[in-house]
Amino acid sequence: MELYVTLEEVKKSIPGYVDYGKDDDRLTRLIKAAQSNLEKRLQRSLTDEGCLSDEGNLDEALRTAIIVKVATLYDTTSEISYARPYNTGIVEDLITPFIKFRGGSEV
């Protein structure tokens, strides 16, 4: 699976993160999980034309959504979060324009 964000980008986005190199495998798994989750949410592949910039790179909003999702997954190891009792909606705001709605009929 192609990674659309680097480990370094993710590490820089986690508040207070200190890189000892021991979390690289975990962070790589989280990047893959975030990308897979994003494709399912968008109902399309991240390689689709609408997700790519004119240069052929993943759109910055989608890259940012992956980074935010990874940082959140890394920071939240439990289903219940007492420090963050609400969803800020950052990822949804970033990805909504890219959702490819399926179903319905064309007129």
Side-chain angles (χ1 to χ4, degrees):
M1 169 185 269
E2 178 181 356
L3 300 182
Y4 293 101
V5 299
T6 66
L7 278 171
E8 289 71 30
E9 289 174 299
V10 168
K11 290 174 183 180
K12 289 178 184 177
S13 298
I14 299 172
Y17 184 80
V18 178
D19 186 8
Y20 296 110
K22 65 179 183 173
D23 288 333
D24 289 1
D25 290 340
R26 178 177 177 213
L27 288 171
T28 300
R29 283 193 316 274
L30 292 176
I31 292 169
K32 289 177 181 179
Q35 288 182 186
S36 176
N37 178 267
L38 182 58
E39 286 184 322
K40 288 175 182 153
R41 179 69 182 95
L42 296 178
Q43 300 181 47
R44 66 190 322 175
S45 170
L46 295 177
T47 58
D48 283 358
E49 187 176 324
C51 295
L52 302 175
S53 69
D54 293 337
E55 296 81 31
N57 300 318
L58 188 63
D59 187 273
E60 284 301 315
L62 296 176
R63 291 182 78 254
T64 302
I66 292 169
I67 292 170
V68 169
K69 190 69 153 176
V70 171
T72 303
L73 290 169
Y74 180 83
D75 191 39
T76 308
T77 57
S78 172
E79 190 68 28
I80 299 171
S81 173
Y82 297 102
R84 296 183 189 177
Y86 59 91
N87 182 344
T88 62
I90 294 170
V91 172
E92 283 298 314
D93 289 345
L94 290 167
I95 69 171
T96 298
F98 298 92
I99 297 174
K100 185 173 186 176
F101 293 100
R102 299 175 192 250
S105 60
E106 293 188 26
V107 179

